[in-house]
Amino acid sequence: MTVKLQLDRVSKKFGSLMVADDVSLDVDAGEFFVLLGPSGEGKSTLLRMIAGIETPDSGTIRIDGQDVTDLPPNKRNIAMVFQNYALYPNMNVYRNIAFPLKMQYFPPDEIEPKVRDVAKTLGISEILDRRVNQISGGQQQRVALARAIVRNPTLFLLDEPLSNLDARVRFAARAELKKIQRDLGQTFFFVTHDQKEAEVLSDRTGVLHHGVFEQIGPFDQLYDTPATRWIGDFVGDVPMNYVPWTESGTSGSMGFRPEWATVSPDGAQSATVQVAERVGDFTYLLCTTANGLRVYLRSLRSMSVGSEVRFNVDRHVFFGGPKDGEDERVSSERPERLPPRRA
Ligand SMILES: Nc1ncnc2c1ncn2[C@@H]1O[C@H](COP(=O)(O)OP(=O)(O)O)[C@@H](O)[C@H]1O
Ligand SMILES: [Mg+2]
């Protein structure tokens, strides 16, 4: 794998606000990298530093091995796609796509085949004559991508490009974006606050929190083995469950997701059924324990709301350190099972 983008100890402050604190990252050529984090964590600032719109206070940014830290945006061979697409609403689709080539003084007879080619790739050949304010949000996204692709950039930077689409279009646009990136074989650096987008799109996801990457890895890894409790709570539809834990001088907490539990007649723990839903042979249960843990269980027996059910926790992650392991790294020593807790 060749490294396409390299951040080497990049830092950036706005006044006393540290938005990037000694950040290092390698993105491989052809990788779909998603930068995930809540709003205000510095995602756009990091992307803008890669683009050359913001300057880091310290550190080095390399694209294709070349130090671009002090290069202006137009010398970096990157393309950006924004949330609002920044298209020209009164121009037709063709002229929008052709625009960056015109700005680079390509002759018209070279521009036309390039525009038609990329329009074909993105399936928008039929709408080249339509004005941008007359096409759908999903089509606008494709036009914005086409305009980025036509310049033949070496790196695509996308800042929440799906956020303005309504839910139904967003679902299709997401799948399409993934396919386009695969077909192009290009490197995408994609910013979002939406973990579903990270899950569906990314080869790897990096989660930015307090100016540092709290964890970088395949999305499943973030979900299955969160590095910190903060990640455990941020990734996933609902927060993890935590149980304080102490053994032979080590204290911390055991974290497990609600679905990491199985019904068992002689299970170590007991919970009360809050919601029961019958689907085929199974009854799906949302249950809570007396001490506030939440578990999702599947039972072959029909169960009703208010009844007691016994279960075992199948697996868990150990968070070590003070304050029940909050914000502490996962310990390499992970106990095999939760300590038995009899109600
Ligand atoms: N040019 C700027 N000057 C001062 N503060 C800024 C500037 N740009 C962003 N910020 C602040 O930096 C923080 C991170 O912003 P941003 O990178 O836009 O976060 P995100 O994209 O994750 O929502 C925010 O608190 C924002 O208000
Ligand atoms: Mg942003």
Side-chain angles (χ1 to χ4, degrees):
M1 273 288 179
T2 42
V3 176
K4 171 61 70 174
L5 167 68
Q6 186 173 49
L7 306 180
D8 190 11
R9 310 200 58 175
V10 169
S11 292
K12 177 78 177 174
K13 259 181 169 175
F14 291 118
S16 62
L17 181 69
M18 187 70 112
V19 285
D21 187 1
D22 208 19
V23 167
S24 294
L25 171 72
D26 283 0
V27 177
D28 288 326
E31 181 171 12
F32 201 128
F33 185 85
V34 171
L35 173 59
L36 175 68
S39 176
E41 292 283 0
K43 303 182 299 297
S44 293
T45 304
L46 199 60
L47 178 135
R48 289 157 64 84
M49 288 194 283
I50 297 166
I53 302 165
E54 291 280 1
T55 316
D57 298 335
S58 60
T60 309
I61 297 170
R62 292 186 191 85
I63 296 174
D64 289 320
Q66 187 199 2
D67 183 347
V68 299
T69 317
D70 298 316
L71 288 185
N74 62 350
K75 293 273 159 57
R76 295 192 181 197
N77 202 14
I78 45 113
M80 285 186 79
V81 179
F82 298 97
Q83 187 172 30
N84 58 11
Y85 306 141
L87 296 171
Y88 302 99
N90 291 312
M91 282 189 195
N92 68 20
V93 169
Y94 182 96
R95 287 181 61 208
N96 266 278
I97 300 172
F99 190 78
L101 299 178
K102 269 196 180 152
M103 293 304 285
Q104 294 179 323
Y105 303 107
F106 276 84
D109 61 325
E110 277 183 41
I111 292 178
E112 177 152 3
K114 282 183 199 290
V115 173
R116 297 211 177 273
D117 205 41
V118 70
K120 200 170 151 205
T121 306
L122 293 182
I124 49 175
S125 301
E126 310 303 314
I127 58 166
L128 283 174
D129 296 331
R130 303 268 296 279
R131 284 221 314 261
V132 161
N133 56 13
Q134 293 170 335
I135 61 177
S136 71
Q139 288 171 326
Q140 286 180 14
Q141 173 190 267
R142 276 184 269 173
V143 175
L145 272 171
R147 192 177 56 176
I149 292 166
V150 79
R151 291 171 46 208
N152 199 22
T154 188
L155 175 64
F156 288 78
L157 305 175
L158 303 99
D159 196 348
E160 314 234 7
L162 306 178
S163 301
N164 276 358
L165 301 175
D166 70 53
R168 218 161 32 91
V169 180
R170 195 159 62 227
F171 184 78
R174 196 166 66 198
E176 195 164 313
L177 189 64
K178 180 71 182 168
K179 183 178 181 309
I180 290 167
Q181 185 267 345
R182 279 221 187 98
D183 292 350
L184 290 171
Q186 292 283 14
T187 316
F188 276 33
F189 184 93
F190 180 102
V191 164
T192 185
H193 67 274
D194 180 341
Q195 56 168 300
K196 200 70 202 169
E197 289 180 6
E199 181 178 0
V200 172
L201 291 169
S202 75
D203 294 315
R204 281 186 311 153
T205 295
V207 186
L208 200 60
H209 179 49
H210 288 168
V212 299
F213 278 114
E214 192 123 338
Q215 190 168 5
I216 300 175
F219 187 86
D220 286 352
Q221 207 174 77
L222 272 51
Y223 187 85
D224 290 336
T225 52
T228 62
R229 280 178 57 154
W230 188 85
I231 297 277
D233 290 338
F234 177 64
V235 172
D237 293 331
V238 293
M240 292 183 98
N241 294 301
Y242 301 102
V243 180
W245 187 83
T246 312
E247 192 182 276
S248 49
T250 314
S251 69
S253 59
M254 304 296 237
F256 68 95
R257 299 211 176 268
E259 72 275 19
W260 295 355
T262 309
V263 168
S264 167
D266 54 357
Q269 304 200 55
S270 133
T272 309
V273 176
Q274 306 292 343
V275 179
E277 207 175 292
R278 182 99 200 171
V279 181
D281 288 343
F282 293 108
T283 304
Y284 290 85
L285 308 169
L286 162 59
C287 311
T288 51
T289 66
N291 54 351
L293 304 176
R294 172 206 284 254
V295 284
Y296 300 143
L297 298 168
R298 199 179 69 170
S299 170
L300 269 169
R301 276 201 306 137
S302 158
M303 311 260 321
S304 55
V305 171
S307 57
E308 291 293 304
V309 56
R310 299 206 73 85
F311 68 95
N312 283 319
V313 175
D314 305 324
R315 65 198 168 94
H316 49 260
V317 179
F318 178 64
F319 301 96
K323 273 179 53 195
D324 285 350
E326 201 171 355
D327 270 359
E328 291 298 316
R329 297 281 140 183
V330 171
S331 162
S332 51
E333 298 166 50
R334 291 181 200 170
E336 281 308 305
R337 298 199 60 79
L338 265 183
R341 302 168 53 86
R342 301 226 170 252

